[in-house]
Amino acid sequence: LEHLMLDNDLEKIGNLSHKIKGGAQLADAADLIEACVQLESLTYQGDIEACAGQIKTLINTMQALEQRLLSAL
């Protein structure tokens, strides 16, 4: 996502966010699903600056999910 943001490729960012959302739905990760929905929406709006901030939020949310899953092992 960060690499795509450097290229300002909102279409690919939206597509990747959609794929991440699908995986998040399988894991029942509501916070991650919401972060993906927000990012997808921002890409459709063409708001590059807001996308950059939301990408950081999405990555932080993914990392938090990873930690929760690892601690459950």
Side-chain angles (χ1 to χ4, degrees):
L1 286 170
E2 290 173 327
H3 292 275
L4 294 173
M5 191 64 221
L6 293 174
D7 294 333
N8 292 326
D9 195 335
L10 295 181
E11 182 179 350
K12 287 184 181 178
I13 291 169
N15 290 339
L16 182 54
S17 178
H18 186 76
K19 290 178 183 180
I20 294 169
K21 181 176 70 175
Q25 289 169 333
L26 292 173
D28 197 27
D31 292 345
L32 184 53
I33 294 167
E34 181 59 28
C36 291
V37 167
Q38 291 296 321
L39 182 55
E40 282 184 88
S41 177
L42 293 169
T43 62
Y44 295 135
Q45 295 171 27
D47 191 338
I48 292 173
E49 288 184 29
C51 283
Q54 188 61 27
I55 285 172
K56 290 178 184 178
T57 298
L58 193 150
I59 290 170
N60 289 337
T61 305
M62 286 176 34
Q63 290 171 337
L65 174 61
E66 177 185 31
Q67 289 304 312
R68 285 195 309 268
L69 292 172
L70 288 173
S71 68
L73 294 178

